[in-house]
Amino acid sequence: MSKTTRLSSNNKIKMTLLKSVLVLGPAIILASCASQAPVQQVPVSKPAPVVIVKPKPKPAPQPKPAPEPKATYSSFSEWKSDFSTRAVNQGYNAYDVSRILDSAQLNSQVISLDSNQAEFVKMPWDYADSAVSGGRISTGKSKFNDQRSLLSRLESQYGVNAEIITAIWGMESSYGAVTGNSYIPSSLATLAYDGRRRAWAEDQLLSLIKLIQSGDVYPSQLNGSWAGGMGHTQFIPGTWLEFGVDGDGDGRRSPWVTADALSSTANYLSKSGWVRGLSPFYEVTLPANFDFSLLGQKLPGSSWRNMGISPIDGAYLDANTAFEMWLPAGKDGPALLLSPNFDVIKVYNNSSNYALGVSLLGRGINGQSGIQKSWPRYEKPLTSAQVRNLQQRLTNAGYDTKGVDGIMGTNTRNAFARWQAANGQTPDGFVTLNSASSLIW
């Protein structure tokens, strides 16, 4: 082979090896290294873990405490200005506050009515006579028939007697005929300014603002009772806000709509503990040896039956249900065992005379008889001034009436019963000009 040919072959081999190195690269180098002595490996340090620091959560914002009203105000305008400021500070929209409050006026008649409510001044038979007048019962029967379908549905849904729902409708607005013509913001603002029920009245004003904001109540509708009652069954704003029901399915809860008002009344009584099928009261006859210290106590039906006490119409007293003995006109008047439903009616108006009126009207609408025993109509009530005098003298003698306000309530009657027991009278707690004569002059 010539020298030239050998060189050419060597060049081809070199070129082939060069191409292999270029193509295989690291693989050839690694194979070459493998044939040599092992190389000491240098440990590679792992990267430090990444630590994510979460920011500390911010504390939840605390609601602002409701600003306290002043103890007294020099004028109605001063109260309005202060109330508006406090309402806005609580988060109420300034425009919504001003549009109900700017037109509110002081109404002195509201203050007078608040201290002379009929159920606290009239004798129980006078109040009952008014509640169950012939016209009110006949109109009630007619309205009951007009709304029979709705009332039947409500009784089935809520368990509240249809005639009781109708009776409250009749008592509160004469079945929608008299819903009130007092401007509600003025009534509530007056009660708040007067101070006797300031916290309550201010809460009602704030609830009224919420009802307007929700669209349930329109500013143009704000005529109602002097005490803030609205519509057919005279819900106050706060109670309507909580218990109001859309009875006709139009998307609004309006107390001026019959279906909404009656549905809301049933809902309110049901949520307040109404017991299905239980009469509000049962008239009974007292045994000769009745212990008058049991008045006002709630005992199981079985306990009353064991004393020889049972309803005069033969109705059954549930053994486990608690009933309270009440003598609305003292020892010479009717005796009534009150069921839990009687107390439920009182959540509507916290007066026993009111609950008695509703119960009797419901019976009349349903075609049932009323109270059987005659009332002692010869007895006369005390004036507000005489009640204050009685309260002061009882309290001074150690029979605390829990206040001297001229209102004949449960505390005053209980204190008087304790005085009767200590002074040789039958402790029936019935205050009249005759029974309390030595304490009022």
Side-chain angles (χ1 to χ4, degrees), residues 85-415:
T85 300
R86 287 185 282 117
V88 172
N89 287 342
Q90 286 180 256
Y92 290 85
N93 183 278
Y95 171 74
D96 293 324
V97 175
S98 65
R99 70 173 169 169
I100 72 159
L101 205 60
D102 286 354
S103 55
Q105 302 293 323
L106 183 65
N107 187 341
S108 58
Q109 186 181 16
V110 168
I111 298 173
S112 175
L113 289 170
D114 185 46
S115 59
N116 290 284
Q117 296 184 52
E119 57 266 25
F120 293 110
V121 176
K122 289 182 178 179
M123 282 303 203
W125 52 85
D126 292 330
Y127 199 81
D129 289 348
S130 174
V132 296
S133 65
R136 187 168 273 175
I137 289 177
S138 62
T139 303
K141 289 180 176 179
S142 174
K143 293 294 184 179
F144 185 93
N145 287 329
D146 291 344
Q147 300 295 331
R148 182 177 294 275
S149 176
L150 171 64
L151 290 166
S152 296
R153 175 172 64 82
L154 295 178
E155 182 168 337
S156 175
Q157 180 178 354
Y158 295 103
V160 181
N161 304 38
E163 70 272 13
I164 292 295
I165 300 171
T166 310
I168 288 177
W169 186 19
M171 291 283 286
E172 294 296 331
S173 70
S174 293
Y175 311 100
V178 184
T179 58
N181 56 9
S182 296
Y183 185 54
I184 295 173
S186 290
S187 298
L188 294 174
T190 297
L191 291 171
Y193 169 66
D194 178 55
R196 189 175 79 85
R197 293 197 287 167
R198 175 169 293 145
W200 175 86
E202 289 189 351
D203 284 345
Q204 298 311 309
L205 283 168
L206 296 177
S207 295
L208 186 60
I209 293 171
K210 291 178 182 177
L211 289 172
I212 292 174
Q213 289 174 333
S214 69
D216 287 332
V217 172
Y218 298 145
S220 60
Q221 292 179 310
L222 298 183
N223 281 336
S225 77
W226 64 266
M230 305 181 299
H232 285 266
T233 49
Q234 295 292 285
F235 272 77
I236 57 176
T239 308
W240 185 263
L241 190 65
E242 183 175 0
F243 297 100
V245 172
D246 177 13
D248 61 359
D250 68 350
R252 290 180 62 232
R253 304 177 305 161
S254 172
W256 286 274
V257 172
T258 302
D260 291 1
L262 299 184
S263 299
S264 300
T265 296
N267 180 51
Y268 184 30
L269 295 177
S270 175
K271 294 285 179 60
S272 299
W274 188 270
V275 181
R276 187 187 294 267
L278 193 62
S279 177
F281 74 82
Y282 298 87
E283 188 175 0
V284 299
T285 301
L286 297 181
N289 62 345
F290 178 71
D291 181 0
F292 284 86
S293 68
L294 295 176
L295 292 178
Q297 294 190 32
K298 295 182 179 181
L299 300 174
S302 57
S303 297
W304 295 114
R305 292 205 308 262
N306 290 338
M307 297 178 202
I309 296 172
S310 59
I312 61 176
D313 62 0
Y316 175 74
L317 287 182
D318 180 72
N320 298 316
T321 299
F323 297 89
E324 176 186 347
M325 182 66 72
W326 183 42
L327 306 182
K331 59 182 175 59
D332 296 322
L336 309 178
L337 275 180
L338 309 180
S339 82
N341 285 347
F342 192 88
D343 287 336
V344 173
I345 296 173
K346 289 171 67 175
V347 303
Y348 225 99
N349 183 324
N350 190 23
S351 160
S352 294
N353 282 342
Y354 173 85
L356 178 62
V358 168
S359 302
L360 290 172
L361 179 56
R363 288 191 174 204
I365 291 171
N366 204 33
Q368 297 173 289
S369 60
I371 289 177
Q372 302 302 301
K373 187 171 182 179
S374 299
W375 297 99
R377 294 178 182 271
Y378 51 84
E379 297 284 10
K380 303 300 178 185
L382 275 60
T383 65
S384 295
Q386 289 169 332
V387 172
R388 281 193 295 271
N389 198 10
L390 172 69
Q391 290 169 330
Q392 189 63 66
R393 292 193 175 185
L394 283 172
T395 299
N396 291 344
Y399 307 98
D400 188 7
T401 61
K402 309 297 183 183
V404 180
D405 56 8
I407 297 175
M408 183 60 67
T410 301
N411 290 327
T412 301
R413 293 189 181 94
N414 289 342

Side-chain angles (χ1 to χ4, degrees), residues 39-82:
V39 179
Q40 185 178 2
Q41 298 294 317
V42 179
V44 179
S45 59
K46 295 181 179 179
V50 178
V51 179
I52 300 175
V53 180
K54 295 182 179 180
K56 292 182 179 180
K58 295 181 180 180
Q62 297 298 314
K64 296 179 181 178
E68 293 291 332
K70 295 181 180 180
T72 58
Y73 293 91
S74 60
S75 67
F76 184 63
S77 296
E78 183 190 11
W79 171 83
K80 284 175 64 174
S81 176
D82 183 58

